[in-house]
Amino acid sequence: MQGLILQLTRGGFLLLLWLFIWAVLRVLRTDVYAATGARLAPRYPSKAAMLTTRRRVKVAKHLVVTEGTLAGTRISLGSQPVLIGRADDSTLVLSDDYASTRHARLSPRGDEWYVEDLGSTNGTYLDRVKVTSPVPVPLGTPVRVGKTVIELRP
């Protein structure tokens, strides 16, 4: 009789262990694959604002590192994309433990620059909003890559 009780107790603990593992995996899956839902809302200015904006459009000409180990670094922008990460062939090579090898890319499209996360571990943030798809970067808006913050300047 004691052998049966011991086997049932072992089976019960094994069942509880598997239920716990299943619950942990379920929570991890929802955290990893859940959509953040944080997207920048498009702004639709009035026609008058659009006309005045068209007259004095400021175009980004420099990329400036405002926080991090490379603070004060300035890169002139051209027509080529800017690759940001720890890889040696990146345009902006970061020595940041929180940055991925190929973390993010800034790409020009007309007069605007778009930031895109390249599947980094810690994510790329545009003014405290996680970037999930290519998003336009307004002038002076902070873009966080690990512990490094960059901005586009005229």
Side-chain angles (χ1 to χ4, degrees), residues 105-135:
R105 175 177 37 230
L106 282 167
S107 306
R109 294 184 191 169
D111 288 340
E112 291 185 316
W113 284 82
Y114 283 73
V115 66
E116 173 183 10
D117 186 71
L118 299 176
S120 64
T121 305
N122 294 322
T124 303
Y125 293 86
L126 177 65
D127 199 20
R128 290 184 261 167
V129 177
K130 189 169 186 174
V131 174
T132 57
S133 62
V135 179

